[in-house]
Amino acid sequence: MSHRVLTGITTTGTLHLGNYVGAIRPAIAASRAPGVESFYFMADFHALIKCDEPDRLARSSRAIAATWLAAGLDPARVTLYRQSDIPEIPELTWLLTCVTAKGQMNRAHAYKAAVDAAVAAGEEPDAHVSMGLFSYPVLMAADILMFNAHRVPVGKDQVQHIEMTRDIAQRFNHLYGREFFVLPEAQVDAEMELLPGLDGRKMSKSYDNVIPLFEGGAAALKDAVARIVTDSKLPGEPKVPEGQTLVTLYDAFATPAQRAAFRAALRGGLGWGEAKQQLVALIEGEIGPMRARYDALMAHPEQLEAILQDGARRARAIATPFLQALRAAVGLRPYTDTAATAAAKAQKAALPVFKQYREADGRFYFKLLAADGTLLLQSSGFEQGRDAGQWVARLKREGLADGAPVRREAADADIAAALAALRDAA
Ligand code: TRP
């Protein structure tokens, strides 16, 4: 299978320059890499959790889809879809909900933040918590596991959700006896955190310091740039470019040569007003042509709709048969399908298995058992579950090499045969 990358954007509002530089631009560049299969989607089910304004949600979804396309996403290469067009996702959410520990969800940052805010305001802890908010991480796990994504580019605040996804996947795999789900890795790019807003803090709607991406046209871009906070040095006075918000924003759109020239000009006394004009021109050079495409797409919802319908069709070509297999695995089967039980049992019995688990010491372990349950390999303990998972994947792929953190509990030939059987079955 090729390497699958998947990410979603919650559809509540319009996008700003920070979203573009931190998420959209790198995602589109990544989608052009060979051997990568990309899945990008509008997380509109997630939007419902925090938005009860139907028109705003609908418009935001449309605007974000148009933004991806205007910024250069090629819908022939990338599967671009609306979460809500894939009914298999909520169905998978339920299957996963049934193997998810409530205690683990209690520890989710977003839920805890809502509880803390309520308690601080003297209210009931769960005063503002819907079941949607509480179950948010399970829906996100379904988004990811539905397509067995290997890599999930996200912001830092989402890393915990990817770890939860791994736990849920592991638990399902373990309970139903097969590696149905790939364990995804979070990918947190430094780029995603970098872009400052007008006041130098991270660009974010909650700080009201954003530069809009397309909304309001070139005039809004100019207005926002005019409000970037600088020091009070006058034109002609030498400036210190380092640490200036304006310079960081410039860098995000500039070539190395442009960056050097801009710094030199500031050191030489370039005024902030002139510098802001140069920044507007630089950003507009990249964004202006995209804005024209964006406006055209927003004016033709039928074109957008056709592209999204095609994306949904391709996504479901994967999701529908996979969910069918998952339903059968958990026992949701036609009454006539009595063979499935026997077949699953036979398959389980015939193959060796890796079991991953956590001990009371809090560490993560795995062991390899022969088809008849004999212990073949025992790992040492890992601080991180993902490290254990990576070793399992590696042993399956490459067999047993020196330096693997495992104790041999059986004859080398038996261990080698078991690993070979697993490799053949993969
Ligand atoms: N929760 C993500 C955010 O707020 C959006 C999202 C929903 C997502 N489902 C996802 C991101 C699946 C990556 C993968 O940013």
Side-chain angles (χ1 to χ4, degrees):
M1 204 202 295
S2 67
H3 190 78
R4 284 192 179 168
V5 180
L6 173 145
T7 198
I9 296 195
T10 308
T11 54
T12 44
T14 50
L15 299 174
H16 55 66
L17 217 56
N19 301 130
Y20 171 73
V21 169
I24 294 186
R25 192 172 63 182
I28 290 174
S31 74
R32 299 199 173 114
V36 167
E37 215 184 329
S38 306
F39 297 79
Y40 299 156
F41 67 97
M42 273 45 76
D44 47 4
F45 280 143
H46 277 103
L48 275 178
I49 293 169
K50 40 189 165 182
C51 176
D52 57 7
E53 298 164 63
D55 293 338
R56 178 152 159 252
L57 195 155
R59 157 134 188 131
S60 169
S61 177
R62 192 151 69 88
I64 291 173
T67 300
W68 278 112
L69 293 163
L73 178 139
D74 176 359
R77 278 194 83 113
V78 175
T79 306
L80 178 73
Y81 55 98
R82 280 177 293 230
Q83 186 185 29
S84 62
D85 280 341
I86 318 295
E88 289 82 3
I89 290 176
E91 192 169 344
L92 176 57
T93 301
W94 183 250
L95 301 190
L96 300 178
T97 299
C98 294
V99 304
T100 301
K102 174 172 179 287
Q104 187 181 26
M105 296 299 104
N106 289 343
R107 291 190 286 276
H109 299 322
Y111 168 65
K112 284 203 327 200
V115 168
D116 290 348
V119 171
E123 296 172 300
E124 286 291 309
D126 283 338
H128 304 289
V129 179
S130 67
M131 283 306 295
L133 175 66
F134 187 68
S135 308
Y136 185 111
V138 191
L139 176 57
M140 188 156 157
D143 290 334
I144 297 167
L145 300 178
M146 186 84 260
F147 299 99
N148 266 330
H150 300 89
R151 191 151 49 86
V152 184
V154 283
K156 264 200 224 127
D157 59 327
Q158 300 291 315
V159 170
Q160 186 194 33
H161 293 147
I162 311 300
E163 282 161 6
M164 290 175 158
T165 300
R166 296 169 59 86
D167 281 350
I168 294 169
Q170 229 158 9
R171 196 163 161 72
F172 190 98
N173 285 347
H174 176 71
L175 278 172
Y176 295 106
R178 248 202 293 155
E179 305 287 305
F180 292 101
F181 297 125
V182 167
L183 305 188
E185 301 281 346
Q187 175 193 339
V188 184
D189 292 331
E191 274 175 304
M192 284 197 167
E193 308 301 327
L194 268 181
L195 208 71
L198 303 177
D199 56 0
R201 293 185 290 173
K202 177 184 168 186
M203 191 179 289
S204 160
K205 258 179 232 127
S206 41
Y207 295 146
D208 194 23
N209 67 355
V210 307
I211 302 176
L213 180 54
F214 299 138
E215 298 300 303
L221 171 65
K222 218 173 139 201
D223 277 2
V225 169
R227 287 187 289 123
I228 294 174
V229 177
T230 61
D231 63 30
S232 50
K233 293 210 171 76
L234 299 171
E237 278 186 72
K239 320 270 184 307
V240 182
E242 285 70 33
Q244 287 289 333
T245 303
L246 188 80
V247 176
T248 311
L249 287 164
Y250 191 92
D251 285 352
F253 292 87
T255 62
Q258 286 173 316
R259 291 178 194 178
F262 193 58
R263 281 169 168 70
L266 285 167
R267 286 198 195 93
L270 179 71
W272 287 125
E274 175 69 23
K276 284 181 173 179
Q277 278 177 28
Q278 292 189 15
L279 174 60
V280 169
L282 182 70
I283 297 177
E284 189 60 16
E286 182 165 331
I287 295 298
M290 293 177 185
R291 189 188 300 114
R293 285 199 292 274
Y294 174 81
D295 290 341
L297 284 165
M298 289 300 277
H300 286 281
E302 75 289 351
Q303 292 177 6
L304 267 183
E305 184 62 31
I307 292 172
L308 271 294
Q309 291 291 348
D310 186 56
R313 187 183 54 70
R314 284 187 286 148
R316 292 194 71 194
I318 297 170
T320 308
F322 188 34
L323 189 74
Q324 220 34 56
L326 295 170
R327 289 180 62 121
V330 302
L332 304 175
R333 301 174 190 145
Y335 294 157
T336 48
D337 190 3
T338 45
T341 324
K345 270 203 187 130
Q347 193 190 11
K348 248 171 109 166
L351 277 181
V353 277
F354 274 103
K355 298 243 173 193
Q356 297 188 47
Y357 55 99
R358 201 169 180 180
E359 284 287 10
D361 64 2
R363 295 173 143 255
F364 296 86
Y365 293 81
F366 64 84
K367 57 189 173 187
L368 174 63
L369 300 173
D372 66 1
T374 315
L375 180 63
L376 301 174
L377 289 175
Q378 171 63 59
S379 81
S380 44
F382 297 87
E383 290 302 331
Q384 302 289 336
R386 77 164 58 171
D387 293 332
Q390 277 168 358
W391 269 110
V392 169
R394 187 155 159 209
L395 289 167
K396 279 186 189 163
R397 219 169 40 233
E398 300 167 12
L400 185 55
D402 287 341
V406 291
R407 206 168 56 229
R408 295 162 199 250
E409 302 280 0
D412 283 359
D414 292 343
I415 295 169
L419 289 170
L422 277 176
R423 216 165 32 240
D424 291 345

